[in-house]
Amino acid sequence: MLAVAYAVDGSAVRQRLGLTPKLDVPYVTTRSVTVDAMLDMAEVEAGDYLIDLGTGDGRILIAAAHDRGASGLGVDLDPVLIRQARDEAADLGLSDRIDFIEQDLFETPLGEADVVTLFLLPEVNLRLRPRLLAQLRPGARVVSNRFDMGDWEPDEERRVAGYPAYLWIIPADVSGTWQMEFDGRTAILDLGQQFQQVSGTATIDGVSRPAIVNLVGESLHITLDLANGQRFFEGRIDGDRLVSTNEDSWSAMRTGGEVAKG
Ligand SMILES: C[S@@+](CC[C@H](N)C(=O)[O-])C[C@H]1O[C@@H](n2cnc3c(N)ncnc32)[C@H](O)[C@@H]1O
């Protein structure tokens, strides 16, 4: 009976036999043009480790490994799809770089991923969102076919074959109070943050003005309005320090507020 069910490979048959685990998302495939767009958006390249949550037949991870040299892991609750993905990876000689396992995507550790790929559902994305933000390193990329992340605005949105695809870049935590030194002067930056959106003020010589901060992963641009015009700073966050990433000599130390992620 079991052999017949797998030979027919009909999910309806497996469902009737009670062989299919309870899924949070039904099996629908991503079109190859969308797979390519998602991998482009995430700038997947050799050396990247990709985790494909709800991998289905593994097409996203297989394309990432085959076309771009990535390695990674695909997880799905459907054992038949996992077997299919593994067989395809083996046929293409990719088994040393990618693996597929039967696992609930809400139990998959994400910390190793440079890129996470999704084709799930809006409410599943929302349930997954805290895990993505807590476990992925700043600068890691998340791409989703079709569905967004609620009020976490994407860093990029593209329309592919009539549907949206989204990219998010995990932001570093820059919230708090920073003491910034530049040109022999001191500025106190008070920064608030929601996802990658940062707003705040800079207080210099007792005068507070808006500070404009652009944050992408752990890189940031700060624009300060000074009495003699605007001053730009290009830097990178390193724990509780902001360091310059060009010749410009400036730095900042976090003196208050919490670091949400290490
Ligand atoms: C819309 S399909 C996407 C398949 C594939 N990623 C693609 O884009 O072609 C969603 C997949 O998620 C899997 N799935 C649903 N709930 C899951 C869960 N809790 N853990 C792991 N996989 C799950 C389903 O079996 C299905 O293969």
Side-chain angles (χ1 to χ4, degrees), residues 67-132:
D67 303 346
R68 299 168 194 244
S71 59
L73 176 72
V75 306
D76 204 289
L77 284 179
D78 187 325
V80 176
L81 289 170
I82 287 295
R83 193 170 341 132
Q84 201 178 314
R86 270 200 195 135
D87 289 349
E88 177 72 3
D91 287 349
L92 292 169
L94 299 171
S95 303
D96 56 335
R97 268 190 287 128
I98 58 177
D99 195 11
F100 295 94
I101 58 170
E102 202 181 321
Q103 188 174 71
D104 190 321
L105 62 90
F106 287 105
E107 285 165 17
T108 303
L110 303 174
E112 295 298 305
D114 299 300
V115 177
V116 172
T117 50
L118 312 170
F119 179 22
L120 300 171
L121 283 171
E123 65 274 17
V124 179
N125 280 2
L126 276 186
R127 270 169 61 208
L128 196 57
R129 192 173 89 173
R131 289 178 67 79
L132 297 168

Side-chain angles (χ1 to χ4, degrees), residues 29-36 59 119 145-146 161 163:
T29 55
T30 297
R31 296 171 65 167
S32 70
V33 64
T34 308
V35 172
D36 285 344
R59 61 185 57 208
F119 179 22
N145 177 13
R146 214 167 301 185
Y163 294 101

Side-chain angles (χ1 to χ4, degrees), residues 8 81 142 164 197 241 259-260:
V8 172
L81 289 170
V142 178
Q197 312 295 341
R241 280 172 3 110
V259 184

